[in-house]
Short mmCIF file of all heavy atoms in Angstrom, two decimals:
data_model
loop_
_atom_site.label_atom_id
_atom_site.label_comp_id
_atom_site.label_asym_id
_atom_site.label_seq_id
_atom_site.Cartn_x
_atom_site.Cartn_y
_atom_site.Cartn_z
N TYR A 1 102.65 105.64 119.27
CA TYR A 1 101.90 106.56 118.40
C TYR A 1 101.36 107.75 119.17
O TYR A 1 101.14 108.82 118.60
CB TYR A 1 100.77 105.83 117.68
CG TYR A 1 100.32 106.56 116.44
CD1 TYR A 1 101.09 106.51 115.28
CD2 TYR A 1 99.17 107.33 116.43
CE1 TYR A 1 100.71 107.19 114.15
CE2 TYR A 1 98.77 108.01 115.30
CZ TYR A 1 99.55 107.94 114.16
OH TYR A 1 99.17 108.65 113.04
N LEU A 2 101.14 107.58 120.48
CA LEU A 2 100.70 108.71 121.29
C LEU A 2 101.72 109.85 121.24
O LEU A 2 101.37 111.03 121.39
CB LEU A 2 100.49 108.26 122.75
CG LEU A 2 99.24 107.44 123.05
CD1 LEU A 2 99.31 106.91 124.47
CD2 LEU A 2 97.97 108.27 122.85
N TYR A 3 102.97 109.49 121.02
CA TYR A 3 104.05 110.49 121.02
C TYR A 3 104.62 110.70 119.62
O TYR A 3 105.80 110.92 119.43
CB TYR A 3 105.14 110.07 122.03
CG TYR A 3 104.65 110.22 123.45
CD1 TYR A 3 103.95 109.19 124.07
CD2 TYR A 3 104.80 111.42 124.13
CE1 TYR A 3 103.45 109.33 125.34
CE2 TYR A 3 104.30 111.58 125.42
CZ TYR A 3 103.63 110.54 126.02
OH TYR A 3 103.11 110.69 127.29
N LYS A 4 103.72 110.66 118.65
CA LYS A 4 104.09 110.86 117.26
C LYS A 4 104.87 112.15 117.01
O LYS A 4 105.93 112.12 116.39
CB LYS A 4 102.82 110.83 116.40
CG LYS A 4 103.01 111.10 114.92
CD LYS A 4 101.67 110.98 114.18
CE LYS A 4 101.82 111.22 112.68
NZ LYS A 4 102.01 112.63 112.37
N PRO A 5 104.40 113.32 117.48
CA PRO A 5 105.16 114.55 117.19
C PRO A 5 106.57 114.53 117.75
O PRO A 5 107.51 114.93 117.06
CB PRO A 5 104.31 115.65 117.84
CG PRO A 5 102.93 115.07 117.97
CD PRO A 5 103.14 113.61 118.21
N GLU A 6 106.70 114.05 118.99
CA GLU A 6 108.02 114.03 119.62
C GLU A 6 108.97 113.06 118.92
O GLU A 6 110.16 113.37 118.72
CB GLU A 6 107.88 113.66 121.10
CG GLU A 6 107.23 114.73 121.97
CD GLU A 6 105.71 114.73 121.91
OE1 GLU A 6 105.15 113.92 121.14
OE2 GLU A 6 105.09 115.53 122.61
N ILE A 7 108.48 111.89 118.55
CA ILE A 7 109.33 110.91 117.88
C ILE A 7 109.76 111.42 116.51
O ILE A 7 110.93 111.26 116.11
CB ILE A 7 108.59 109.56 117.77
CG1 ILE A 7 108.39 108.96 119.16
CG2 ILE A 7 109.37 108.59 116.87
CD1 ILE A 7 107.55 107.71 119.19
N GLU A 8 108.84 112.03 115.78
CA GLU A 8 109.20 112.57 114.47
C GLU A 8 110.26 113.66 114.58
O GLU A 8 111.17 113.73 113.75
CB GLU A 8 107.95 113.12 113.77
CG GLU A 8 107.03 112.04 113.23
CD GLU A 8 105.88 112.60 112.42
OE1 GLU A 8 105.47 113.76 112.70
OE2 GLU A 8 105.38 111.91 111.53
N ARG A 9 110.16 114.49 115.60
CA ARG A 9 111.15 115.56 115.76
C ARG A 9 112.53 114.99 116.07
O ARG A 9 113.55 115.62 115.75
CB ARG A 9 110.73 116.52 116.88
CG ARG A 9 109.51 117.38 116.50
CD ARG A 9 109.27 118.48 117.50
NE ARG A 9 108.01 119.15 117.24
CZ ARG A 9 106.89 118.93 117.92
NH1 ARG A 9 106.91 118.08 118.94
NH2 ARG A 9 105.79 119.58 117.63
N ILE A 10 112.59 113.83 116.69
CA ILE A 10 113.88 113.19 116.97
C ILE A 10 114.42 112.51 115.72
O ILE A 10 115.58 112.71 115.33
CB ILE A 10 113.74 112.17 118.13
CG1 ILE A 10 113.39 112.89 119.43
CG2 ILE A 10 115.02 111.37 118.29
CD1 ILE A 10 113.04 111.96 120.58
N VAL A 11 113.58 111.70 115.08
CA VAL A 11 114.03 110.91 113.93
C VAL A 11 114.35 111.80 112.73
O VAL A 11 115.34 111.58 112.02
CB VAL A 11 112.97 109.86 113.56
CG1 VAL A 11 113.37 109.11 112.29
CG2 VAL A 11 112.76 108.87 114.71
N TYR A 12 113.51 112.81 112.51
CA TYR A 12 113.68 113.68 111.34
C TYR A 12 114.16 115.08 111.72
O TYR A 12 113.77 116.07 111.11
CB TYR A 12 112.36 113.77 110.57
CG TYR A 12 111.84 112.44 110.10
CD1 TYR A 12 110.61 111.96 110.53
CD2 TYR A 12 112.58 111.63 109.23
CE1 TYR A 12 110.11 110.73 110.11
CE2 TYR A 12 112.11 110.39 108.81
CZ TYR A 12 110.88 109.95 109.26
OH TYR A 12 110.41 108.73 108.84
N ALA A 13 115.00 115.13 112.73
CA ALA A 13 115.46 116.44 113.24
C ALA A 13 116.09 117.28 112.14
O ALA A 13 115.82 118.49 112.03
CB ALA A 13 116.44 116.23 114.38
N ASP A 14 116.93 116.68 111.30
CA ASP A 14 117.62 117.43 110.26
C ASP A 14 116.70 117.80 109.09
O ASP A 14 117.01 118.71 108.32
CB ASP A 14 118.80 116.63 109.72
CG ASP A 14 119.87 116.42 110.78
OD1 ASP A 14 119.95 117.25 111.70
OD2 ASP A 14 120.63 115.43 110.68
N TRP A 15 115.60 117.10 108.94
CA TRP A 15 114.69 117.34 107.84
C TRP A 15 113.52 118.25 108.22
O TRP A 15 112.97 118.94 107.37
CB TRP A 15 114.13 116.02 107.30
CG TRP A 15 115.15 115.12 106.69
CD1 TRP A 15 116.47 115.39 106.46
CD2 TRP A 15 114.93 113.78 106.25
NE1 TRP A 15 117.10 114.32 105.89
CE2 TRP A 15 116.18 113.31 105.74
CE3 TRP A 15 113.84 112.93 106.20
CZ2 TRP A 15 116.33 112.02 105.22
CZ3 TRP A 15 113.99 111.65 105.69
CH2 TRP A 15 115.23 111.21 105.20
N MET A 16 113.15 118.23 109.50
CA MET A 16 111.98 119.00 109.91
C MET A 16 112.30 120.45 110.24
O MET A 16 111.49 121.34 110.01
CB MET A 16 111.32 118.33 111.12
CG MET A 16 110.55 117.06 110.78
SD MET A 16 109.67 116.38 112.21
CE MET A 16 108.48 117.68 112.55
N ARG A 17 113.47 120.66 110.80
CA ARG A 17 113.84 122.03 111.18
C ARG A 17 114.58 122.70 110.03
O ARG A 17 115.60 122.19 109.55
CB ARG A 17 114.71 122.01 112.45
CG ARG A 17 113.95 121.67 113.70
CD ARG A 17 114.77 121.96 114.94
NE ARG A 17 115.90 121.04 115.09
CZ ARG A 17 115.86 119.92 115.80
NH1 ARG A 17 114.75 119.58 116.42
NH2 ARG A 17 116.90 119.14 115.91
N ILE A 18 114.10 123.87 109.63
CA ILE A 18 114.77 124.61 108.57
C ILE A 18 115.72 125.62 109.20
O ILE A 18 115.52 126.05 110.34
CB ILE A 18 113.74 125.32 107.66
CG1 ILE A 18 112.80 126.21 108.46
CG2 ILE A 18 112.94 124.28 106.88
CD1 ILE A 18 111.78 126.94 107.59
N PRO A 19 116.78 126.01 108.50
CA PRO A 19 117.82 126.86 109.09
C PRO A 19 117.29 128.17 109.68
O PRO A 19 117.70 128.59 110.75
CB PRO A 19 118.77 127.12 107.91
CG PRO A 19 118.54 125.98 106.99
CD PRO A 19 117.10 125.61 107.11
N ALA A 20 116.38 128.82 108.96
CA ALA A 20 115.84 130.09 109.44
C ALA A 20 114.46 130.30 108.85
O ALA A 20 114.22 129.94 107.69
CB ALA A 20 116.77 131.25 109.06
N ALA A 21 113.57 130.84 109.66
CA ALA A 21 112.22 131.12 109.17
C ALA A 21 112.29 132.24 108.14
O ALA A 21 112.86 133.29 108.39
CB ALA A 21 111.31 131.51 110.33
N ARG A 22 111.74 132.01 106.98
CA ARG A 22 111.70 133.02 105.93
C ARG A 22 110.40 132.85 105.16
O ARG A 22 109.75 131.81 105.26
CB ARG A 22 112.90 132.88 105.00
CG ARG A 22 113.14 131.46 104.51
CD ARG A 22 114.39 131.36 103.67
NE ARG A 22 114.77 129.97 103.42
CZ ARG A 22 115.76 129.63 102.61
NH1 ARG A 22 116.45 130.55 101.97
NH2 ARG A 22 116.05 128.35 102.43
N PRO A 23 110.03 133.85 104.39
CA PRO A 23 108.76 133.74 103.64
C PRO A 23 108.73 132.49 102.79
O PRO A 23 109.69 132.17 102.08
CB PRO A 23 108.75 135.02 102.80
CG PRO A 23 109.62 135.97 103.53
CD PRO A 23 110.69 135.15 104.16
N ALA A 24 107.60 131.78 102.86
CA ALA A 24 107.46 130.54 102.09
C ALA A 24 107.04 130.86 100.66
O ALA A 24 106.27 131.79 100.41
CB ALA A 24 106.42 129.64 102.75
N LEU A 25 107.59 130.09 99.74
CA LEU A 25 107.12 130.18 98.36
C LEU A 25 105.71 129.61 98.29
O LEU A 25 105.24 128.93 99.20
CB LEU A 25 108.05 129.38 97.44
CG LEU A 25 109.52 129.85 97.37
CD1 LEU A 25 110.32 128.87 96.54
CD2 LEU A 25 109.60 131.26 96.80
N SER A 26 105.03 129.91 97.21
CA SER A 26 103.67 129.39 97.06
C SER A 26 103.69 127.87 96.91
O SER A 26 104.70 127.29 96.48
CB SER A 26 102.99 130.02 95.85
OG SER A 26 103.57 129.53 94.65
N ALA A 27 102.58 127.23 97.25
CA ALA A 27 102.49 125.78 97.16
C ALA A 27 102.71 125.31 95.72
O ALA A 27 103.35 124.27 95.50
CB ALA A 27 101.14 125.31 97.67
N GLY A 28 102.19 126.06 94.77
CA GLY A 28 102.35 125.68 93.37
C GLY A 28 103.80 125.68 92.92
O GLY A 28 104.26 124.75 92.25
N ILE A 29 104.54 126.73 93.30
CA ILE A 29 105.96 126.81 92.93
C ILE A 29 106.75 125.71 93.62
O ILE A 29 107.61 125.05 93.01
CB ILE A 29 106.53 128.20 93.31
CG1 ILE A 29 105.90 129.28 92.42
CG2 ILE A 29 108.05 128.21 93.17
CD1 ILE A 29 106.32 130.70 92.79
#
């Protein structure tokens, strides 16, 4: 658990990284 961020980036690599940074839609939308 001390390495939570690093483990998540490995396990959820395809889900956490988005193809390109772009303006985010509003939270409501």
